Amino acid sequence: MDNIIQLIEGWVADGKIPGAVVNISLHGQTILQQAFGGYSLSSSSDRKALSNDSLFDIASLTKVTATLPAVMLLVSRGQMELEDHVQRYFPEFRHPQISIKHLLQHSSGLPPDLTKADRNEPRDVMREVYEQDLIYEPGTQVQYSDLGFILLGAAVERVTGERLNDFVQREIHRPLGMFNTMYLPEAVERYRIAPTEEYNGAFIHGEVHDEKSYQLGGVSGSAGLFATAADLALYGRSWLLTNPSVLPAKWRSECTVEPFLGRGLGWEVWHGQPSAPSCSSHWPHGTFGHTGFTGTSLWIDPQSELVVVFLTNAVHYGRATPIRQLRPLLHESIYSSIHGVK
């Protein structure tokens, strides 16, 4: 793994990312876990090193590590159906033709996002989501949408009668041994949380970076989770069908077996579409994963049981980050190192 280590060390030294934690596992065994770089909380503070125990705001990885398994667990129990219309859960939602499956597959026709607003600006996020116009006919295209997963997280709450964070912690994360994964981290955890973006003269630290999730109280279906690399590696391995999981194998398979324009249920799936996802085209078809805006990613190759977690707080340096160009380089290098593919 020396070339992987040198690659990431070079990115930190060149100022491309402030730091990172990488966890690579093969056949259920960790073959590399290492922390790189660090961060400063102000121009006058000392630089603090990241560690393997660092907590990251995992941003949109929340979609596949909290909301997706919560929805599919309820589906497996008969409490929800993939073909249910969203209006079953939200009569105030404007579009009767949109199903739960459309939301999971990012094929609902909802726009990617709401209009931008300052994180401290009061707004009724749910009302705005309910009232959005569609930008295409549901089921005909794929357009990644935060709004669909906000609805899914809220649907879980309506079905279960409890907050998404409580349901997910009890039913998914704790049973998997993910004791370092949480919404709303307590103040005692701040010492190991990687800060994200500078805002109003200080770095966002211990609060969710995503504005909509922040305006929803820090808990939403689209963002809000904080986690360590080791916990996400546990989660990734739970999606290998031979491994024990809280989600039955039938429903895990359902999420990746028939992708539509690069999207399974929740996951991005590499199946030869014109533009390869961030795992790079070197990884085999059937690979699935997801990324997060702050600089996070999780990729799973079920053929070789390879799971790669790469966590950075890239937005610590601002939103004009090269992380989208760096991820494929890392994953190509990892796959080549393990399998000898050039």
Side-chain angles (χ1 to χ4, degrees):
M1 296 281 100
D2 287 351
N3 59 329
I4 310 301
I5 293 169
Q6 291 169 9
L7 185 66
I8 301 173
E9 286 178 339
W11 292 343
V12 173
D14 293 342
K16 293 180 178 178
I17 54 173
V21 179
V22 64
N23 182 297
I24 304 171
S25 61
L26 189 65
H27 304 302
Q29 301 297 317
T30 300
I31 59 174
L32 176 66
Q33 176 161 293
Q34 188 163 327
F36 306 81
Y39 57 87
S40 298
L41 289 172
S42 70
S43 58
S44 59
S45 66
D46 293 334
R47 187 168 172 83
K48 179 176 173 59
L50 289 168
S51 71
N52 288 337
D53 198 38
S54 291
L55 282 167
F56 288 79
D57 176 344
I58 65 171
S60 283
L61 282 185
T62 302
K63 293 178 173 71
V64 292
T65 58
T67 312
L68 173 64
V71 169
M72 297 307 291
L73 188 61
L74 293 174
V75 169
S76 75
R77 293 173 176 174
Q79 294 177 264
M80 295 180 74
E81 298 286 344
L82 292 176
E83 301 305 329
D84 282 347
H85 291 135
V86 176
Q87 281 188 344
R88 172 182 174 183
Y89 306 98
F90 307 104
E92 56 270 69
F93 184 60
R94 289 181 53 207
H95 307 289
Q97 69 273 49
I98 294 178
S99 69
I100 294 297
K101 185 174 182 179
H102 286 139
L103 299 183
L104 286 168
Q105 207 162 43
H106 295 282
S107 63
S108 67
L110 287 168
D113 208 345
L114 300 177
T115 56
K116 296 297 181 185
D118 186 90
R119 65 190 282 112
N120 286 324
E121 178 181 321
R123 71 189 307 190
D124 188 339
V125 172
M126 292 307 302
R127 181 188 60 78
E128 292 185 42
V129 173
Y130 296 149
E131 296 178 355
Q132 290 295 303
D133 292 326
L134 299 184
I135 58 176
Y136 59 87
E137 183 67 23
T140 63
Q141 299 180 38
V142 164
Q143 177 110 229
Y144 182 86
S145 175
D146 271 3
L147 310 189
F149 270 77
I150 289 173
L151 285 168
L152 288 166
V156 170
E157 294 184 336
R158 291 211 172 177
V159 170
T160 63
E162 59 184 312
R163 275 194 105 184
L164 179 65
N165 55 316
D166 294 328
F167 180 80
V168 167
Q169 184 182 61
R170 185 187 69 251
E171 297 285 347
I172 296 159
H173 295 154
R174 283 183 176 171
L176 290 175
M178 297 169 64
F179 299 110
N180 290 288
T181 300
M182 65 204 74
Y183 284 95
L184 304 171
E186 296 181 3
V188 295
E189 302 287 3
R190 283 172 63 89
Y191 77 96
R192 63 185 181 123
I193 296 176
T196 53
E197 189 176 19
E198 188 174 4
Y199 170 77
N200 284 351
F203 287 99
I204 299 169
H205 188 207
E207 295 179 338
V208 61
H209 175 264
D210 179 81
E211 291 89 353
K212 298 183 298 302
S213 182
Y214 181 76
Q215 290 154 345
L216 287 164
V219 177
S220 82
S222 63
L225 272 185
F226 290 74
T228 62
D231 265 22
L232 292 179
L234 277 176
Y235 182 74
R237 292 196 291 268
S238 80
W239 276 81
L240 299 171
L241 294 180
T242 56
N243 285 9
S245 176
V246 295
L247 194 60
K250 169 187 174 181
W251 297 105
R252 283 180 277 156
S253 176
E254 182 80 13
C255 293
T256 60
V257 70
E258 292 183 352
F260 174 59
L261 300 177
R263 284 286 168 186
L265 302 183
W267 297 104
E268 186 174 6
V269 182
W270 171 226
H271 62 107
Q273 59 268 38
S275 179
S278 69
C279 63
S280 86
S281 61
H282 280 61
W283 285 46
H285 292 182
T287 292
F288 58 95
H290 210 281
T291 63
F293 184 79
T294 50
T296 58
S297 63
L298 166 63
W299 284 98
I300 302 164
D301 167 22
Q303 291 186 27
S304 61
E305 298 187 353
L306 172 63
V307 177
V308 176
V309 179
F310 184 52
L311 302 183
T312 84
N313 56 332
V315 293
H316 192 59
Y317 286 166
R319 299 195 179 194
T321 165
I323 190 65
R324 290 186 179 183
Q325 290 75 48
L326 302 182
R327 286 188 188 116
L329 299 176
L330 175 71
H331 289 86
E332 179 180 331
S333 183
I334 290 170
Y335 200 83
S336 297
S337 295
I338 291 172
H339 296 290
V341 179
K342 299 297 184 182

